[in-house]
Amino acid sequence: MSGSQRQSRFERGEDVVVMKFGGTSVEDAAAIRRLVGIVESRLGAQPVLIISALAKVTDQLLEAGNAAAKGHLGSALAIVRNIYVRHEDLADSLLSASAHGSLDRELRGELQALESLLHELETSRHFDLKAQDRLLSFGECFSSRLVSWALCEAGLQAAHVDARNCVVTDARHGQASPLWDVTNQRLRDALNPLLQSGSVPVLGGFIASTIDGVPTTLGRGGSDFSAAIVGAAVGASRVEIWTDVDGVMTTDPKVCSDARVIRKLSFDEAADLAHFGAKVLHPATLAPAMRENIPVYVLNSRHPEGHGTEITARASTGNRVSAITAKRNVVSLEIQSRRGVDAALLNTVFGVLEQHTCAVDVMGTSIDRISLLVGSNVALPKIVEDLRQVADVCWENHKALVCLVGENIRRQPEVASQLFATVSDMDVRVLCQGASERTLSFLVDESRAEESVRRLHSVFFPKLEPARDWGGISSAFCEAG
Ligand code: ASP
Ligand code: MG
């Protein structure tokens, strides 16, 4: 990108902050009021908002699509009516009568298009990824319009921008990738004039379209990615991901109640975490932020005063291990060559996986063997059948890949030996040293995944001693005793 094209930090030399609000941060009237307050606190910079569908709406739309395609039009229509009514009720509690009227006209237009799509699905009995993208995009259309009006109601100059006109992708429906040059250009064309006039642009996350205007989506959880795409296009000084947890945690707090917030992470560590199953960020999110060196913050919209997690190019937690993840539903594939591994076998293996769109999580090769870990996939029996044409194949499912992530983890052999000592009795199958310098992972039965995470967490993140009250002599006495 040339310097003149870039116009970073925006033309007026002011800071742009891209703020993404996830589904739970817009789920009800209280959440949207909090959102308005958070945006007001950022008016010293120029906010650009990326809004997810209200919590659960994307799943409900999927359900409606599936129902319609099975011929259950009545229940499909009931689901989308409920979605519409939910937005209407929110409009009712958040907006004045005239704003409510304007929003209602917009929402009714969307609802009509949504209903006719369901009719189409009922007739065709065919619900492919292309139709799915069209359908799911309504969730973000509804929510972003609602939030935009809620901001106006609070006296902010908000402007709704249809992300489908700006974010341009390939046609890989369900998981599309941006075409960067046209996306950057269109985003700048749409957003720069608004920013110049002091408006707060509000875009739906997750949604995009092909160059021909066919709706696409960026994959589930893709609003994070939208935020980074927009941040990179306008040269934002930061991207904020507002969610319902205090930041990226050392491990899943549902598995381990001692999990705590990681204050700082590097882009690389965060990308590894996302790749190895941490749910906090959409895995593709960090690439544009990394490329443009834009810090990303993960923050809790219920506790906006918290520090959250800061993700930057260079960061050190000072810990040997930054986080522990577990990826479930992993399948191990052992491919034994009948005559030594050669490039042709590797090519065939990757060809077969590609053909069935099966991504590889970890791979290891030896003289005559290829070990692969892949996500569980309905096409696996077919994949194995194809591979058996050229090699002997064993596979096992219901595995979990447990992973320790930390800068330089590989340069600290004591981490690996502690890991071994901690889980040595657990039938740990493979210790994987993938290409990344920052991860150390192993395969274990899914049923043992949680226990291994808990054990490792207590070793690498020992419980912080609660602050003691030394005020009274009796407690000191008890301690001494
Ligand atoms: N609404 C979409 C989903 O539920 C995208 C997102 O929330 O990031 O996956
Ligand atoms: Mg998310």
Side-chain angles (χ1 to χ4, degrees):
M1 238 184 297
S2 76
S4 63
Q5 250 184 316
R6 238 172 97 170
Q7 301 179 324
S8 69
R9 297 289 132 75
F10 192 55
E11 288 157 333
R12 282 163 51 171
E14 289 174 23
D15 277 354
V16 177
V17 46
V18 175
M19 310 172 75
K20 176 257 173 172
F21 289 88
T24 52
S25 300
V26 289
E27 65 186 346
D28 53 24
I32 296 178
R33 288 199 184 96
R34 280 195 298 270
L35 173 154
V36 171
I38 294 169
V39 174
E40 281 172 332
S41 74
R42 295 296 192 267
L43 290 178
Q46 297 200 303
V48 177
L49 266 51
I50 308 296
I51 307 296
S52 287
L54 309 194
K56 303 201 179 76
V57 163
T58 307
D59 288 332
Q60 290 162 352
L61 286 169
L62 256 184
E63 203 187 318
N66 283 317
K70 282 194 197 117
H72 309 309
L73 185 62
S75 53
L77 291 172
I79 295 172
V80 303
R81 286 257 152 199
N82 281 339
I83 294 176
Y84 166 76
V85 169
R86 182 170 166 201
H87 287 78
E88 275 292 309
D89 287 347
L90 286 175
D92 213 25
S93 46
L94 293 165
L95 305 180
S96 66
S98 76
H100 189 167
S102 311
L103 172 64
D104 189 48
R105 274 190 293 283
E106 295 176 13
L107 293 186
R108 273 175 192 275
E110 302 280 4
L111 179 67
Q112 263 168 22
L114 180 50
E115 287 177 341
S116 55
L117 174 56
L118 292 175
H119 281 277
E120 268 175 49
L121 292 176
E122 193 227 11
T123 317
S124 68
R125 297 293 159 104
H126 190 62
F127 188 36
D128 60 6
L129 288 173
K130 188 173 172 188
Q132 185 176 305
D133 278 353
R134 230 171 107 200
L135 180 74
L136 296 190
S137 64
F138 284 100
E140 271 70 10
C141 290
F142 278 95
S143 65
S144 56
R145 290 185 187 283
L146 171 66
V147 167
S148 177
W149 278 105
L151 291 164
C152 291
E153 187 72 33
L156 278 82
Q157 198 182 317
H160 183 259
V161 175
D162 192 332
R164 290 169 302 182
N165 298 333
C166 312
V167 181
V168 181
T169 66
D170 59 20
R172 210 151 60 92
H173 288 284
Q175 187 90 52
S177 302
L179 305 179
W180 294 103
D181 288 344
V182 353
T183 296
N184 287 336
Q185 196 55 53
R186 288 207 194 169
L187 280 169
R188 287 184 200 126
D189 291 348
L191 301 181
N192 284 356
L194 292 173
L195 291 169
Q196 245 151 12
S197 69
S199 295
V200 177
V202 181
L203 293 84
F206 176 59
I207 58 176
S209 70
T210 65
I211 195 85
D212 305 318
V214 179
T216 55
T217 63
L218 303 171
R220 292 304 303 268
S223 296
D224 299 342
F225 191 23
S226 303
I229 294 168
V230 171
V234 298
S237 57
R238 52 198 270 147
V239 169
E240 297 179 346
I241 305 291
W242 289 91
T243 171
D244 60 352
V245 291
D246 286 331
V248 182
M249 310 286 280
T250 49
T251 195
D252 182 348
K254 287 191 210 92
V255 171
C256 187
S257 56
D258 288 347
R260 58 194 85 140
V261 175
I262 308 168
R263 288 289 290 273
K264 286 169 188 286
L265 272 176
S266 69
F267 284 132
D268 293 322
E269 285 175 308
D272 281 334
L273 274 176
H275 178 76
F276 284 100
K279 294 266 158 33
V280 188
L281 284 176
H282 180 283
T285 304
L286 294 154
M290 233 159 152
R291 200 176 58 225
E292 301 293 324
N293 201 14
I294 304 169
V296 175
Y297 295 80
V298 178
L299 298 156
N300 190 344
S301 63
R302 292 170 206 268
H303 304 124
E305 64 294 340
H307 293 283
T309 299
E310 179 188 60
I311 307 170
T312 54
R314 292 248 127 261
S316 171
T317 52
N319 291 333
R320 291 167 308 162
V321 175
S322 293
I324 304 171
T325 62
K327 191 170 194 163
R328 290 166 181 81
N329 270 321
V330 170
V331 176
S332 93
L333 276 175
E334 295 288 333
I335 303 162
Q336 175 83 40
S337 163
R338 294 180 189 129
R339 46 186 170 82
V341 170
D342 51 34
L345 178 61
L346 274 176
N347 272 339
T348 317
V349 170
F350 279 108
V352 169
L353 294 172
E354 164 101 38
Q355 197 189 325
H356 296 282
T357 43
C358 179
V360 176
D361 289 327
V362 177
M363 173 179 132
T365 55
S366 70
I367 195 88
D368 58 353
R369 213 175 157 89
I370 307 172
S371 308
L372 296 175
L373 299 180
V374 300
S376 168
N377 180 316
V378 281
L380 265 166
K382 188 79 190 74
I383 292 173
V384 170
E385 191 187 314
D386 288 357
L387 291 175
R388 283 194 175 137
Q389 313 273 330
V390 291
D392 297 329
V393 183
C394 300
W395 61 299
E396 258 186 298
N397 52 11
H398 301 301
K399 297 281 167 197
L401 184 63
V402 177
C403 181
L404 305 189
V405 178
E407 286 294 344
N408 293 324
I409 215 167
R410 297 285 182 71
R411 306 234 177 90
Q412 307 170 76
E414 72 281 7
V415 174
S417 66
Q418 266 181 300
L419 184 159
F420 263 131
T422 310
V423 295
S424 58
D425 61 324
M426 289 182 107
D427 191 21
V428 169
R429 282 302 180 75
V430 197
L431 187 66
C432 312
Q433 301 250 6
S436 157
E437 278 280 296
R438 295 165 304 270
T439 62
L440 207 55
S441 54
F442 62 88
L443 201 62
V444 68
D445 264 340
E446 222 165 46
S447 59
R448 309 296 302 271
E450 301 203 343
E451 191 189 340
S452 59
V453 167
R454 274 194 289 269
R455 283 195 200 174
L456 289 166
H457 197 273
S458 66
V459 169
F460 290 105
F461 301 93
K463 234 193 180 92
L464 303 168
E465 284 290 313
R468 293 204 190 116
D469 174 15
W470 292 104
I473 187 98
S474 61
S475 67
F477 179 77
C478 289
E479 281 285 325

mmCIF file of all heavy atoms in Angstrom, residues 376-412:
data_model
loop_
_atom_site.group_PDB
_atom_site.id
_atom_site.type_symbol
_atom_site.label_atom_id
_atom_site.label_comp_id
_atom_site.label_asym_id
_atom_site.label_seq_id
_atom_site.Cartn_x
_atom_site.Cartn_y
_atom_site.Cartn_z
ATOM 1 N N SER A 376 -12.818 -32.898 13.812
ATOM 2 C CA SER A 376 -13.782 -33.911 13.423
ATOM 3 C C SER A 376 -14.620 -33.381 12.258
ATOM 4 O O SER A 376 -15.008 -32.225 12.244
ATOM 5 C CB SER A 376 -14.648 -34.221 14.642
ATOM 6 O OG SER A 376 -15.727 -34.973 14.263
ATOM 7 N N ASN A 377 -14.875 -34.241 11.297
ATOM 8 C CA ASN A 377 -15.418 -33.779 10.028
ATOM 9 C C ASN A 377 -16.313 -34.888 9.483
ATOM 10 O O ASN A 377 -15.920 -36.056 9.514
ATOM 11 C CB ASN A 377 -14.184 -33.537 9.125
ATOM 12 C CG ASN A 377 -14.507 -33.046 7.749
ATOM 13 O OD1 ASN A 377 -15.411 -33.553 7.107
ATOM 14 N ND2 ASN A 377 -13.771 -32.071 7.293
ATOM 15 N N VAL A 378 -17.479 -34.526 9.006
ATOM 16 C CA VAL A 378 -18.398 -35.576 8.523
ATOM 17 C C VAL A 378 -17.800 -36.372 7.369
ATOM 18 O O VAL A 378 -18.179 -37.514 7.130
ATOM 19 C CB VAL A 378 -19.751 -34.997 8.049
ATOM 20 C CG1 VAL A 378 -20.657 -34.692 9.212
ATOM 21 C CG2 VAL A 378 -19.564 -33.802 7.139
ATOM 22 N N ALA A 379 -16.850 -35.766 6.659
ATOM 23 C CA ALA A 379 -16.290 -36.438 5.488
ATOM 24 C C ALA A 379 -15.197 -37.444 5.853
ATOM 25 O O ALA A 379 -14.606 -38.061 4.974
ATOM 26 C CB ALA A 379 -15.732 -35.391 4.522
ATOM 27 N N LEU A 380 -14.917 -37.624 7.164
ATOM 28 C CA LEU A 380 -13.766 -38.457 7.524
ATOM 29 C C LEU A 380 -13.760 -39.874 6.948
ATOM 30 O O LEU A 380 -12.741 -40.306 6.416
ATOM 31 C CB LEU A 380 -13.602 -38.506 9.040
ATOM 32 C CG LEU A 380 -12.593 -37.463 9.504
ATOM 33 C CD1 LEU A 380 -12.680 -37.275 10.991
ATOM 34 C CD2 LEU A 380 -11.178 -37.863 9.100
ATOM 35 N N PRO A 381 -14.894 -40.577 7.015
ATOM 36 C CA PRO A 381 -14.860 -41.927 6.432
ATOM 37 C C PRO A 381 -14.435 -41.901 4.962
ATOM 38 O O PRO A 381 -13.657 -42.732 4.518
ATOM 39 C CB PRO A 381 -16.304 -42.405 6.580
ATOM 40 C CG PRO A 381 -16.870 -41.585 7.699
ATOM 41 C CD PRO A 381 -16.175 -40.265 7.643
ATOM 42 N N LYS A 382 -14.913 -40.880 4.265
ATOM 43 C CA LYS A 382 -14.578 -40.758 2.843
ATOM 44 C C LYS A 382 -13.089 -40.407 2.686
ATOM 45 O O LYS A 382 -12.392 -40.948 1.820
ATOM 46 C CB LYS A 382 -15.470 -39.645 2.247
ATOM 47 C CG LYS A 382 -15.388 -39.522 0.760
ATOM 48 C CD LYS A 382 -16.225 -40.599 0.052
ATOM 49 C CE LYS A 382 -15.962 -40.657 -1.446
ATOM 50 N NZ LYS A 382 -14.702 -41.245 -1.843
ATOM 51 N N ILE A 383 -12.609 -39.524 3.545
ATOM 52 C CA ILE A 383 -11.194 -39.139 3.492
ATOM 53 C C ILE A 383 -10.321 -40.384 3.701
ATOM 54 O O ILE A 383 -9.373 -40.642 2.955
ATOM 55 C CB ILE A 383 -10.882 -38.073 4.571
ATOM 56 C CG1 ILE A 383 -11.578 -36.756 4.219
ATOM 57 C CG2 ILE A 383 -9.388 -37.860 4.735
ATOM 58 C CD1 ILE A 383 -11.473 -35.680 5.293
ATOM 59 N N VAL A 384 -10.684 -41.168 4.719
ATOM 60 C CA VAL A 384 -9.892 -42.355 5.035
ATOM 61 C C VAL A 384 -9.936 -43.333 3.862
ATOM 62 O O VAL A 384 -8.918 -43.904 3.460
ATOM 63 C CB VAL A 384 -10.402 -43.001 6.344
ATOM 64 C CG1 VAL A 384 -9.772 -44.364 6.563
ATOM 65 C CG2 VAL A 384 -10.120 -42.084 7.526
ATOM 66 N N GLU A 385 -11.125 -43.491 3.289
ATOM 67 C CA GLU A 385 -11.250 -44.394 2.142
ATOM 68 C C GLU A 385 -10.330 -43.948 0.997
ATOM 69 O O GLU A 385 -9.614 -44.768 0.413
ATOM 70 C CB GLU A 385 -12.714 -44.365 1.692
ATOM 71 C CG GLU A 385 -13.092 -45.429 0.702
ATOM 72 C CD GLU A 385 -14.522 -45.193 0.193
ATOM 73 O OE1 GLU A 385 -15.423 -44.932 1.032
ATOM 74 O OE2 GLU A 385 -14.718 -45.217 -1.038
ATOM 75 N N ASP A 386 -10.329 -42.638 0.722
ATOM 76 C CA ASP A 386 -9.478 -42.127 -0.362
ATOM 77 C C ASP A 386 -7.998 -42.353 -0.042
ATOM 78 O O ASP A 386 -7.216 -42.733 -0.915
ATOM 79 C CB ASP A 386 -9.721 -40.626 -0.582
ATOM 80 C CG ASP A 386 -11.073 -40.360 -1.230
ATOM 81 O OD1 ASP A 386 -11.780 -41.341 -1.555
ATOM 82 O OD2 ASP A 386 -11.431 -39.165 -1.401
ATOM 83 N N LEU A 387 -7.618 -42.110 1.231
ATOM 84 C CA LEU A 387 -6.208 -42.250 1.598
ATOM 85 C C LEU A 387 -5.759 -43.714 1.530
ATOM 86 O O LEU A 387 -4.606 -44.003 1.226
ATOM 87 C CB LEU A 387 -5.960 -41.696 3.004
ATOM 88 C CG LEU A 387 -6.080 -40.171 3.163
ATOM 89 C CD1 LEU A 387 -5.942 -39.776 4.628
ATOM 90 C CD2 LEU A 387 -5.022 -39.455 2.321
ATOM 91 N N ARG A 388 -6.692 -44.609 1.809
ATOM 92 C CA ARG A 388 -6.327 -46.035 1.808
ATOM 93 C C ARG A 388 -5.969 -46.552 0.414
ATOM 94 O O ARG A 388 -5.424 -47.633 0.274
ATOM 95 C CB ARG A 388 -7.444 -46.877 2.436
ATOM 96 C CG ARG A 388 -7.411 -46.756 3.937
ATOM 97 C CD ARG A 388 -8.240 -47.794 4.665
ATOM 98 N NE ARG A 388 -8.020 -47.643 6.097
ATOM 99 C CZ ARG A 388 -8.957 -47.681 7.031
ATOM 100 N NH1 ARG A 388 -10.212 -47.891 6.680
ATOM 101 N NH2 ARG A 388 -8.646 -47.520 8.300
ATOM 102 N N GLN A 389 -6.287 -45.768 -0.597
ATOM 103 C CA GLN A 389 -5.857 -46.132 -1.956
ATOM 104 C C GLN A 389 -4.344 -46.109 -2.052
ATOM 105 O O GLN A 389 -3.759 -46.782 -2.876
ATOM 106 C CB GLN A 389 -6.389 -45.117 -2.989
ATOM 107 C CG GLN A 389 -7.845 -44.753 -2.870
ATOM 108 C CD GLN A 389 -8.722 -45.719 -3.631
ATOM 109 O OE1 GLN A 389 -8.293 -46.275 -4.635
ATOM 110 N NE2 GLN A 389 -9.920 -45.944 -3.123
ATOM 111 N N VAL A 390 -3.715 -45.244 -1.215
ATOM 112 C CA VAL A 390 -2.270 -45.060 -1.377
ATOM 113 C C VAL A 390 -1.449 -45.431 -0.142
ATOM 114 O O VAL A 390 -0.229 -45.495 -0.214
ATOM 115 C CB VAL A 390 -1.941 -43.585 -1.743
ATOM 116 C CG1 VAL A 390 -2.416 -43.257 -3.138
ATOM 117 C CG2 VAL A 390 -2.551 -42.625 -0.732
ATOM 118 N N ALA A 391 -2.091 -45.634 1.002
ATOM 119 C CA ALA A 391 -1.323 -45.912 2.219
ATOM 120 C C ALA A 391 -2.197 -46.642 3.231
ATOM 121 O O ALA A 391 -3.410 -46.733 3.060
ATOM 122 C CB ALA A 391 -0.822 -44.589 2.818
ATOM 123 N N ASP A 392 -1.565 -47.148 4.286
ATOM 124 C CA ASP A 392 -2.342 -47.747 5.374
ATOM 125 C C ASP A 392 -2.731 -46.633 6.343
ATOM 126 O O ASP A 392 -1.898 -45.791 6.678
ATOM 127 C CB ASP A 392 -1.499 -48.790 6.117
ATOM 128 C CG ASP A 392 -1.113 -49.933 5.188
ATOM 129 O OD1 ASP A 392 -1.915 -50.236 4.267
ATOM 130 O OD2 ASP A 392 -0.015 -50.482 5.350
ATOM 131 N N VAL A 393 -3.979 -46.647 6.766
ATOM 132 C CA VAL A 393 -4.460 -45.523 7.586
ATOM 133 C C VAL A 393 -5.160 -46.026 8.841
ATOM 134 O O VAL A 393 -5.983 -46.937 8.773
ATOM 135 C CB VAL A 393 -5.471 -44.665 6.785
ATOM 136 C CG1 VAL A 393 -5.926 -43.460 7.604
ATOM 137 C CG2 VAL A 393 -4.878 -44.206 5.461
ATOM 138 N N CYS A 394 -4.786 -45.468 10.001
ATOM 139 C CA CYS A 394 -5.544 -45.710 11.227
ATOM 140 C C CYS A 394 -6.081 -44.372 11.702
ATOM 141 O O CYS A 394 -5.379 -43.369 11.580
ATOM 142 C CB CYS A 394 -4.661 -46.191 12.376
ATOM 143 S SG CYS A 394 -3.825 -47.681 12.056
ATOM 144 N N TRP A 395 -7.259 -44.374 12.248
ATOM 145 C CA TRP A 395 -7.740 -43.106 12.807
ATOM 146 C C TRP A 395 -8.505 -43.319 14.086
ATOM 147 O O TRP A 395 -9.050 -44.378 14.335
ATOM 148 C CB TRP A 395 -8.540 -42.299 11.789
ATOM 149 C CG TRP A 395 -9.787 -42.955 11.275
ATOM 150 C CD1 TRP A 395 -9.867 -44.135 10.601
ATOM 151 C CD2 TRP A 395 -11.127 -42.470 11.388
ATOM 152 N NE1 TRP A 395 -11.157 -44.411 10.273
ATOM 153 C CE2 TRP A 395 -11.966 -43.413 10.742
ATOM 154 C CE3 TRP A 395 -11.704 -41.341 11.952
ATOM 155 C CZ2 TRP A 395 -13.339 -43.241 10.653
ATOM 156 C CZ3 TRP A 395 -13.079 -41.181 11.861
ATOM 157 C CH2 TRP A 395 -13.874 -42.126 11.217
ATOM 158 N N GLU A 396 -8.471 -42.287 14.921
ATOM 159 C CA GLU A 396 -9.120 -42.351 16.224
ATOM 160 C C GLU A 396 -9.799 -41.007 16.467
ATOM 161 O O GLU A 396 -9.159 -39.968 16.292
ATOM 162 C CB GLU A 396 -8.034 -42.465 17.299
ATOM 163 C CG GLU A 396 -7.823 -43.838 17.856
ATOM 164 C CD GLU A 396 -6.834 -43.778 18.996
ATOM 165 O OE1 GLU A 396 -5.679 -43.397 18.766
ATOM 166 O OE2 GLU A 396 -7.242 -44.074 20.127
ATOM 167 N N ASN A 397 -11.055 -41.043 16.895
ATOM 168 C CA ASN A 397 -11.692 -39.753 17.199
ATOM 169 C C ASN A 397 -11.917 -39.589 18.698
ATOM 170 O O ASN A 397 -11.375 -40.331 19.494
ATOM 171 C CB ASN A 397 -12.953 -39.525 16.373
ATOM 172 C CG ASN A 397 -13.906 -40.696 16.472
ATOM 173 O OD1 ASN A 397 -13.717 -41.560 17.305
ATOM 174 N ND2 ASN A 397 -14.907 -40.702 15.618
ATOM 175 N N HIS A 398 -12.685 -38.563 19.062
ATOM 176 C CA HIS A 398 -12.909 -38.221 20.476
ATOM 177 C C HIS A 398 -11.621 -37.925 21.218
ATOM 178 O O HIS A 398 -11.411 -38.358 22.342
ATOM 179 C CB HIS A 398 -13.699 -39.322 21.197
ATOM 180 C CG HIS A 398 -15.037 -39.552 20.563
ATOM 181 N ND1 HIS A 398 -15.970 -38.546 20.455
ATOM 182 C CD2 HIS A 398 -15.575 -40.637 19.970
ATOM 183 C CE1 HIS A 398 -17.031 -39.021 19.828
ATOM 184 N NE2 HIS A 398 -16.812 -40.280 19.519
ATOM 185 N N LYS A 399 -10.755 -37.209 20.547
ATOM 186 C CA LYS A 399 -9.518 -36.785 21.192
ATOM 187 C C LYS A 399 -9.599 -35.286 21.464
ATOM 188 O O LYS A 399 -10.406 -34.577 20.857
ATOM 189 C CB LYS A 399 -8.335 -37.044 20.259
ATOM 190 C CG LYS A 399 -8.134 -38.498 19.955
ATOM 191 C CD LYS A 399 -7.447 -39.138 21.121
ATOM 192 C CE LYS A 399 -7.468 -40.643 21.062
ATOM 193 N NZ LYS A 399 -7.171 -41.239 22.336
ATOM 194 N N ALA A 400 -8.750 -34.847 22.362
ATOM 195 C CA ALA A 400 -8.648 -33.408 22.587
ATOM 196 C C ALA A 400 -7.181 -33.017 22.481
ATOM 197 O O ALA A 400 -6.290 -33.781 22.862
ATOM 198 C CB ALA A 400 -9.190 -33.040 23.962
ATOM 199 N N LEU A 401 -6.964 -31.845 21.946
ATOM 200 C CA LEU A 401 -5.604 -31.331 21.817
ATOM 201 C C LEU A 401 -5.441 -30.252 22.895
ATOM 202 O O LEU A 401 -6.112 -29.224 22.851
ATOM 203 C CB LEU A 401 -5.425 -30.735 20.420
ATOM 204 C CG LEU A 401 -4.036 -30.239 20.064
ATOM 205 C CD1 LEU A 401 -3.030 -31.375 20.079
ATOM 206 C CD2 LEU A 401 -4.050 -29.590 18.675
ATOM 207 N N VAL A 402 -4.594 -30.536 23.866
ATOM 208 C CA VAL A 402 -4.368 -29.567 24.939
ATOM 209 C C VAL A 402 -3.077 -28.825 24.607
ATOM 210 O O VAL A 402 -2.095 -29.439 24.190
ATOM 211 C CB VAL A 402 -4.251 -30.275 26.303
ATOM 212 C CG1 VAL A 402 -3.945 -29.276 27.411
ATOM 213 C CG2 VAL A 402 -5.547 -31.020 26.603
ATOM 214 N N CYS A 403 -3.119 -27.528 24.758
ATOM 215 C CA CYS A 403 -2.002 -26.742 24.255
ATOM 216 C C CYS A 403 -1.563 -25.683 25.268
ATOM 217 O O CYS A 403 -2.395 -24.983 25.854
ATOM 218 C CB CYS A 403 -2.469 -26.079 22.957
ATOM 219 S SG CYS A 403 -1.213 -25.108 22.179
ATOM 220 N N LEU A 404 -0.261 -25.599 25.489
ATOM 221 C CA LEU A 404 0.287 -24.498 26.295
ATOM 222 C C LEU A 404 0.826 -23.461 25.313
ATOM 223 O O LEU A 404 1.533 -23.818 24.376
ATOM 224 C CB LEU A 404 1.449 -24.972 27.168
ATOM 225 C CG LEU A 404 1.239 -26.147 28.108
ATOM 226 C CD1 LEU A 404 2.448 -26.308 29.019
ATOM 227 C CD2 LEU A 404 -0.011 -25.966 28.936
ATOM 228 N N VAL A 405 0.494 -22.196 25.546
ATOM 229 C CA VAL A 405 0.952 -21.135 24.655
ATOM 230 C C VAL A 405 1.778 -20.142 25.458
ATOM 231 O O VAL A 405 1.391 -19.768 26.576
ATOM 232 C CB VAL A 405 -0.251 -20.396 24.022
ATOM 233 C CG1 VAL A 405 0.217 -19.247 23.134
ATOM 234 C CG2 VAL A 405 -1.119 -21.354 23.213
ATOM 235 N N GLY A 406 2.897 -19.731 24.913
ATOM 236 C CA GLY A 406 3.698 -18.699 25.558
ATOM 237 C C GLY A 406 4.881 -18.349 24.674
ATOM 238 O O GLY A 406 5.418 -19.234 23.993
ATOM 239 N N GLU A 407 5.266 -17.087 24.655
ATOM 240 C CA GLU A 407 6.436 -16.689 23.877
ATOM 241 C C GLU A 407 7.615 -17.548 24.329
ATOM 242 O O GLU A 407 7.807 -17.763 25.527
ATOM 243 C CB GLU A 407 6.767 -15.207 24.108
ATOM 244 C CG GLU A 407 5.823 -14.218 23.422
ATOM 245 C CD GLU A 407 5.901 -14.253 21.890
ATOM 246 O OE1 GLU A 407 6.881 -14.804 21.335
ATOM 247 O OE2 GLU A 407 4.951 -13.751 21.257
ATOM 248 N N ASN A 408 8.372 -18.045 23.393
ATOM 249 C CA ASN A 408 9.601 -18.790 23.719
ATOM 250 C C ASN A 408 9.400 -20.042 24.552
ATOM 251 O O ASN A 408 10.322 -20.476 25.242
ATOM 252 C CB ASN A 408 10.589 -17.896 24.479
ATOM 253 C CG ASN A 408 11.088 -16.796 23.596
ATOM 254 O OD1 ASN A 408 11.273 -17.016 22.396
ATOM 255 N ND2 ASN A 408 11.274 -15.628 24.157
ATOM 256 N N ILE A 409 8.239 -20.608 24.521
ATOM 257 C CA ILE A 409 7.979 -21.783 25.354
ATOM 258 C C ILE A 409 8.945 -22.917 24.999
ATOM 259 O O ILE A 409 9.367 -23.691 25.843
ATOM 260 C CB ILE A 409 6.504 -22.201 25.192
ATOM 261 C CG1 ILE A 409 5.956 -22.728 26.499
ATOM 262 C CG2 ILE A 409 6.287 -23.171 24.092
ATOM 263 C CD1 ILE A 409 4.455 -22.848 26.478
ATOM 264 N N ARG A 410 9.328 -22.986 23.752
ATOM 265 C CA ARG A 410 10.186 -24.070 23.290
ATOM 266 C C ARG A 410 11.618 -23.929 23.750
ATOM 267 O O ARG A 410 12.400 -24.846 23.686
ATOM 268 C CB ARG A 410 10.219 -24.104 21.763
ATOM 269 C CG ARG A 410 8.928 -24.372 21.142
ATOM 270 C CD ARG A 410 8.573 -25.849 21.291
ATOM 271 N NE ARG A 410 7.317 -26.069 20.632
ATOM 272 C CZ ARG A 410 7.178 -26.041 19.323
ATOM 273 N NH1 ARG A 410 8.211 -25.830 18.543
ATOM 274 N NH2 ARG A 410 6.011 -26.230 18.786
ATOM 275 N N ARG A 411 11.975 -22.700 24.133
ATOM 276 C CA ARG A 411 13.362 -22.506 24.555
ATOM 277 C C ARG A 411 13.515 -22.791 26.035
ATOM 278 O O ARG A 411 14.548 -22.524 26.604
ATOM 279 C CB ARG A 411 13.788 -21.057 24.264
ATOM 280 C CG ARG A 411 13.574 -20.657 22.839
ATOM 281 C CD ARG A 411 14.849 -20.113 22.219
ATOM 282 N NE ARG A 411 14.626 -19.807 20.820
ATOM 283 C CZ ARG A 411 14.217 -18.633 20.390
ATOM 284 N NH1 ARG A 411 14.042 -17.645 21.248
ATOM 285 N NH2 ARG A 411 14.014 -18.421 19.115
ATOM 286 N N GLN A 412 12.413 -23.254 26.652
ATOM 287 C CA GLN A 412 12.476 -23.520 28.082
ATOM 288 C C GLN A 412 12.153 -24.984 28.329
ATOM 289 O O GLN A 412 10.998 -25.326 28.583
ATOM 290 C CB GLN A 412 11.476 -22.620 28.807
ATOM 291 C CG GLN A 412 11.651 -21.155 28.467
ATOM 292 C CD GLN A 412 10.510 -20.328 29.003
ATOM 293 O OE1 GLN A 412 10.448 -20.056 30.192
ATOM 294 N NE2 GLN A 412 9.585 -19.959 28.132
#
